[in-house]
Amino acid sequence: MTRRFALMIDPAASDDVRADFADTFTLVDAAAPALSVGELSTQRGDGVFESIGVVDGHAQEVVPHLERLAHSAALCDLPLPNRAQWHQAIERAAEHCEAGEYVIKLILSRGVEHGPTPTAWATAAPASDFTAVRERGIRVVTLDRGYDLDVAANASWLLLGAKTLSYAVNMAALREAHRRGADDAIFLSRDGFVLEAPTASLILRLDDRFVTPAPNGGILHGTTQLSVYEYLTDRGLAAEYARVPASDLSRADAAWLVSSVRLAAPITAVDGVELPVDHALTADLNRYLLSPRD
Amino acid sequence: MTRRFALMIDPAASDDVRADFADTFTLVDAAAPALSVGELSTQRGDGVFESIGVVDGHAQEVVPHLERLAHSAALCDLPLPNRAQWHQAIERAAEHCEAGEYVIKLILSRGVEHGPTPTAWATAAPASDFTAVRERGIRVVTLDRGYDLDVAANASWLLLGAKTLSYAVNMAALREAHRRGADDAIFLSRDGFVLEAPTASLILRLDDRFVTPAPNGGILHGTTQLSVYEYLTDRGLAAEYARVPASDLSRADAAWLVSSVRLAAPITAVDGVELPVDHALTADLNRYLLSPRD
């Protein structure tokens, strides 16, 4: 078994009604050339993606990830992914994941310039070790995302609800956070509301309720946030979507950035102001997020 | 001679003081796999690029393009490109361009995930035939870019002055324009000022002066716009940078979208309102833009 794995997926077969998509997959060497320089993913960041956590060979939250991939594809006018085909690709990738934590990435690109079809592939690779981060927590800074909270409502071409390959701003925000001595960033809308992190969703605890910024088209709907909300509501806790003013950050009783691979990272400080950390709940959340989930 | 050409460039050699970079170039088949799936250009649109027009084997405005590539790289915290190396890569690519119009693309990516260096390459390919478009002109629609005009001043992580590979929004704006029956789009700031087109700069004629939106960090400084301004000022015409309110569009005496490959495309209508076209000047501009320039 190789530690890194990559599979090209032929999306032209996606209209077929069939049970087995094995012949639409081509195993490639993850370190060797596999994509042409004409790829629009590489030239224009033109495509959509998902990152799926894998724990001891079990790919987590596969259905919500495939739903979001389809949602992103629709927002980008890409052909809808065939879920059965992608599901099998994920299964194939998961077979190559050994014990411990891995990450499977799904990429659906617009394809080669002037080409007939999208290009698609899935990869699997060992995840970074986030054990210490999940316990110790992260320091974050707030960064202006430049948009008002309501901008997505009348400007679908800004693709704000899509998880596109155009992540240069997200990566730049992380570098800016590191420059400021923090581990991560939280984007604020121009008009002062909390949005999301560059690669994670935010959950706050305010008194006895949990709050996350409403995914109103302006931000992604986090699959891990959905899982956490299921966990909390199953325990009778109040978990809500809301407009979250930036001032709520410093008065939170606890806060987390949650994402598919790092899972629940407790926030220890926002813009240099310390936040209380709920170590017990954080440990519970990560235990839950590391258990097999579909 | 092949009609499509691609050259991988080793940026690790860029610190060298040398006259000949030939051994840092690797010719690859433009249609064959050349990039690994771990490429951050393809996973995150994380990199910068330039598109250079080539006319009868002469690469146009090479120095301004290399300057902008370096500017974009700096904004993205990428190692500064070695200009002598890139210049030689452009020369090599131009040698493969036959008579007529070609486009050379330069791409500087952050490299392979967890890899030691950026990845870089140059391609050359025949340009689309824009002869008719340059004469007949284009219909455009205005689209909200979501940002206020001054947003770039205090949010460098938005990378607004960089020509990054994260162009999914630009591509979505073009699709939205086509959906509305237009050929192209003009982005407006949220607060009502004219910015740029998804892949071109805008120049207006208002009475006896030419005006383009000031590249204040929020938009790219167009290399073709710079060339046109040189042409105009050499002829004693007034060519200015300004804050351009959206209302100036419908009262313009003439307007163009200018870019490196399509060159000067006269705008015949904005949001369905017809604009006068200066056919004589348009022909002059394109004749000039098709002449050899450095």
Side-chain angles (χ1 to χ4, degrees):
Chain A
M1 261 196 221
T2 55
R3 301 242 311 153
R4 298 184 76 87
F5 167 89
L7 195 70
M8 302 302 298
I9 300 169
D10 180 5
S14 67
D15 288 335
D16 287 7
V17 178
R18 52 160 125 184
D20 185 359
F21 290 91
D23 65 331
T24 70
F25 301 145
T26 309
L27 203 65
V28 296
D29 180 342
L35 308 169
S36 88
V37 291
E39 248 302 314
L40 290 169
S41 56
T42 204
Q43 287 189 22
R44 295 285 182 270
D46 198 358
V48 296
F49 78 104
E50 286 295 322
S51 294
I52 299 178
V54 184
V55 181
D56 293 334
H58 186 275
Q60 305 280 55
E61 304 159 347
V62 167
V63 170
H65 279 292
L66 287 176
E67 278 172 5
R68 193 169 62 182
L69 187 73
H71 180 66
S72 296
L75 289 174
C76 291
D77 305 310
L78 285 163
L80 287 193
N82 179 315
R83 297 198 195 184
Q85 183 187 33
W86 284 86
H87 213 299
Q88 284 183 24
I90 295 166
E91 282 170 3
R92 284 283 295 275
E95 286 164 13
H96 283 258
C97 299
E98 301 172 13
E101 295 181 49
Y102 274 66
V103 54
I104 290 177
K105 290 186 186 170
L106 313 179
I107 295 195
L108 174 61
S109 146
R110 198 164 306 275
V112 173
E113 203 172 8
H114 310 303
T117 55
T119 315
W121 64 95
T123 64
S128 300
D129 184 354
F130 291 116
T131 316
V133 171
R134 289 171 195 152
E135 288 171 12
R136 204 181 50 228
I138 52 174
R139 301 177 70 82
V140 305
V141 291
T142 56
L143 295 177
D144 180 9
R145 186 62 189 84
Y147 297 122
D148 284 346
L149 188 63
D150 67 352
V151 75
N154 297 304
S156 58
W157 50 89
L158 299 179
L159 305 179
L160 288 174
K163 196 168 173 75
T164 77
L165 301 174
S166 284
Y167 253 42
V169 167
N170 304 55
M171 300 296 103
L174 289 176
R175 290 195 300 277
E176 178 67 20
H178 298 158
R179 250 192 299 270
R180 298 186 185 189
D183 305 295
D184 211 326
I186 292 174
F187 283 130
L188 302 181
S189 71
R190 188 77 165 168
D191 47 353
F193 293 93
V194 179
L195 297 173
E196 61 191 343
T199 65
S201 313
L202 173 74
I203 299 175
L204 302 178
R205 184 159 66 78
L206 299 169
D207 302 321
D208 57 353
R209 64 197 181 98
F210 294 82
V211 178
T212 197
N216 60 349
I219 62 174
L220 294 183
H221 202 166
T223 54
T224 311
Q225 174 262 310
L226 280 167
S227 277
V228 169
Y229 266 34
E230 200 173 293
Y231 176 86
L232 296 172
T233 51
D234 280 356
R235 273 146 198 81
L237 296 161
E240 303 165 8
Y241 297 92
R243 289 192 162 217
V244 181
S247 56
D248 274 359
L249 286 171
S250 57
R251 74 176 190 91
D253 297 297
W256 299 264
L257 290 187
V258 301
S259 51
S260 298
V261 181
R262 193 173 59 185
L263 305 181
I267 297 174
T268 61
V270 177
D271 293 330
V273 177
E274 306 292 321
L275 271 197
V277 172
D278 186 335
H279 288 287
L281 179 55
T282 302
D284 285 347
L285 289 178
N286 280 314
R287 212 163 12 243
Y288 171 70
L289 292 171
L290 285 166
S291 67
R293 290 168 298 110
D294 290 309
Chain B
M1 258 192 227
T2 53
R3 303 243 309 154
R4 298 184 76 88
F5 168 88
L7 196 69
M8 300 303 297
I9 300 169
D10 180 5
S14 66
D15 288 334
D16 287 7
V17 177
R18 53 160 122 185
D20 185 357
F21 289 90
D23 66 332
T24 70
F25 301 145
T26 309
L27 202 66
V28 295
D29 181 341
L35 307 169
S36 88
V37 291
E39 250 300 315
L40 290 169
S41 56
T42 203
Q43 287 190 21
R44 295 287 182 268
D46 198 358
V48 298
F49 78 103
E50 286 293 324
S51 294
I52 300 177
V54 184
V55 181
D56 294 335
H58 186 275
Q60 305 281 54
E61 305 160 345
V62 166
V63 171
H65 279 291
L66 286 176
E67 279 172 5
R68 193 169 62 182
L69 187 72
H71 179 67
S72 296
L75 290 175
C76 292
D77 305 311
L78 285 163
L80 287 192
N82 179 316
R83 298 200 195 185
Q85 184 187 32
W86 284 86
H87 213 300
Q88 283 182 27
I90 294 166
E91 283 170 3
R92 284 281 296 277
E95 285 165 13
H96 283 257
C97 300
E98 301 173 12
E101 295 180 52
Y102 275 65
V103 55
I104 290 177
K105 290 186 187 170
L106 312 179
I107 295 194
L108 174 60
S109 145
R110 199 165 304 275
V112 172
E113 201 172 10
H114 311 301
T117 56
T119 315
W121 64 96
T123 63
S128 300
D129 184 355
F130 289 116
T131 316
V133 171
R134 290 171 195 152
E135 288 172 10
R136 204 181 50 228
I138 52 175
R139 301 175 71 82
V140 305
V141 290
T142 56
L143 294 178
D144 181 8
R145 187 62 188 84
Y147 297 123
D148 284 347
L149 188 62
D150 67 352
V151 75
N154 297 305
S156 58
W157 51 89
L158 299 179
L159 305 179
L160 288 173
K163 197 168 171 78
T164 78
L165 300 174
S166 284
Y167 253 40
V169 168
N170 304 56
M171 300 296 103
L174 289 176
R175 290 194 301 276
E176 177 66 20
H178 297 158
R179 248 192 301 269
R180 297 186 186 190
D183 304 296
D184 211 327
I186 293 174
F187 282 130
L188 303 181
S189 71
R190 188 79 166 167
D191 48 352
F193 293 94
V194 179
L195 298 172
E196 61 192 342
T199 66
S201 313
L202 173 74
I203 300 175
L204 301 178
R205 185 159 66 77
L206 299 168
D207 302 323
D208 57 353
R209 66 196 180 97
F210 293 82
V211 178
T212 197
N216 61 349
I219 63 174
L220 294 183
H221 201 166
T223 54
T224 311
Q225 175 263 308
L226 280 168
S227 277
V228 169
Y229 267 35
E230 201 173 294
Y231 175 88
L232 296 171
T233 51
D234 281 355
R235 273 147 199 80
L237 297 162
E240 303 165 8
Y241 296 92
R243 286 191 168 221
V244 181
S247 56
D248 275 359
L249 285 172
S250 57
R251 73 178 190 90
D253 297 298
W256 298 266
L257 290 187
V258 302
S259 51
S260 299
V261 181
R262 193 173 60 184
L263 305 180
I267 296 174
T268 62
V270 177
D271 294 329
V273 177
E274 307 291 321
L275 271 196
V277 172
D278 186 334
H279 288 286
L281 179 56
T282 302
D284 286 347
L285 289 177
N286 280 314
R287 212 160 16 242
Y288 171 70
L289 293 170
L290 285 166
S291 67
R293 290 166 300 109
D294 290 310

